[in-house]
Amino acid sequence: MSTISHHNMIYPVGDKHYDFSHIYGLKHIAIKLSGGADSAAVAYMLWKTIHDNKLDCKITVLTTMHQGKSFQADHATRVYKWLTREFDSVIVNAHLVNQNPALPDDGKVISIGYVEYQQLLVDYAHEHMGVEGLFTGITANPPKEVYKEWPYSGPTDDREDSDQDVMWNPLIYTDKKGVAEIFDYFDIRDLYKNTWSCEQYSWPSGRRKEHCDACWFCKERLWGFGSYL
């Protein structure tokens, strides 16, 4: 009787070990894919684990985008298609995309229920598609002395939840420089070029050709990777 080595499911990068061995035996996994570098790094290791170990496990991709940010779904699609070309044995069951409302109002944007709209996709995947686990690309913050001068600290709140399960959130203790280490460890800067971090709205098309170089997420990307592309 053949056995499988979990050695091919654990990736030592810098001072971290990213362990994907818990997916062994599972048949259907979901991943939140935002089009950003963080979820792309997790997705790469997930696809690689399934491909290299010949696992019978399919993947459903989940993307929630803001109205006015269709680039989120565009880049999520570019990421998973890149991965499909790289790991052609991995089955993508579906790419589920929904959009939460966001409307410009007197120079400001009113966004309604982004987290709730994400949860709608997650619930549907679990309840109606038989998904057995969900990966995310949630990362740690940069050091406070780095981001304290950035435009605002909104993203810091949901990244400091001590209840996050590292099994399904493998980057929870990894900041953006650590994410860059993952891309360099696997020599996949070509995948990085397909990702997007800027969170500035774009009306009416929802698409942007360049990072704005001003928002919190642009600052973090440049700090971590040294370049936008």
Side-chain angles (χ1 to χ4, degrees):
M1 181 178 178
S2 63
T3 59
I4 193 163
S5 171
H6 286 179
H7 174 73
N8 293 330
M9 303 182 185
I10 302 172
Y11 307 104
V13 182
D15 62 351
K16 305 285 196 306
H17 283 74
Y18 301 104
D19 186 351
F20 285 73
S21 62
H22 56 286
I23 72 169
Y24 178 65
L26 301 184
K27 298 292 185 181
H28 194 177
I29 296 296
I31 181 169
K32 288 183 180 179
L33 205 61
S34 67
D38 305 337
S39 59
V42 175
Y44 180 86
M45 291 185 283
L46 175 60
W47 260 254
K48 180 176 175 61
T49 299
I50 293 172
H51 176 82
D52 289 357
N53 294 282
K54 299 179 172 61
L55 301 183
D56 180 19
C57 182
K58 61 187 176 182
I59 299 172
T60 288
V61 176
L62 309 177
T63 303
T64 295
M65 64 179 180
H66 286 89
Q67 185 176 354
K69 296 183 182 182
S70 57
F71 51 78
Q72 293 171 320
D74 293 344
H75 285 272
T77 299
R78 289 176 64 176
V79 167
Y80 96 73
K81 286 188 173 180
W82 188 99
L83 292 166
T84 298
R85 292 191 296 271
E86 186 77 7
F87 303 111
D88 58 4
S89 70
V90 179
I91 297 172
V92 175
N93 179 66
H95 182 196
L96 304 184
V97 181
N98 66 353
Q99 175 178 276
N100 77 297
L103 300 172
D105 181 38
D106 292 332
K108 297 181 180 180
V109 175
I110 300 174
S111 177
I112 305 169
Y114 183 65
V115 173
E116 289 78 4
Y117 276 81
Q118 281 190 318
Q119 194 60 44
L120 283 174
L121 283 185
V122 172
D123 291 345
Y124 182 85
H126 279 292
E127 295 170 12
H128 300 288
M129 303 181 76
V131 163
E132 300 169 89
L134 172 71
F135 280 99
T136 84
I138 296 173
T139 60
N141 295 315
K144 287 185 178 180
E145 61 269 20
V146 172
Y147 71 75
K148 68 181 181 180
E149 303 299 331
W150 294 353
Y152 71 100
S153 58
T156 64
D157 297 336
D158 58 5
R159 293 182 178 183
E160 295 179 343
D161 183 355
S162 60
D163 294 330
Q164 295 285 356
D165 185 347
V166 72
M167 234 179 26
W168 300 107
N169 305 277
L171 304 184
I172 197 69
Y173 300 116
T174 302
D175 63 25
K176 194 71 84 180
K177 283 189 181 294
V179 176
E181 280 190 314
I182 294 172
F183 278 83
D184 291 338
Y185 176 84
F186 291 109
D187 192 21
I188 51 171
R189 284 280 180 145
D190 185 51
L191 172 59
Y192 176 66
K193 293 176 182 178
N194 287 279
T195 68
W196 190 264
S197 295
C198 181
E199 287 291 337
Q200 288 284 12
Y201 288 88
S202 182
W203 306 99
S205 70
R207 289 176 168 83
R208 299 183 62 84
K209 293 183 178 179
E210 295 179 349
H211 284 74
C212 74
D213 195 36
C215 71
W216 200 99
F217 297 94
C218 278
K219 299 294 186 185
E220 184 190 32
R221 184 179 177 100
L222 194 59
W223 172 78
F225 282 88
S227 66
Y228 291 124
L229 298 174

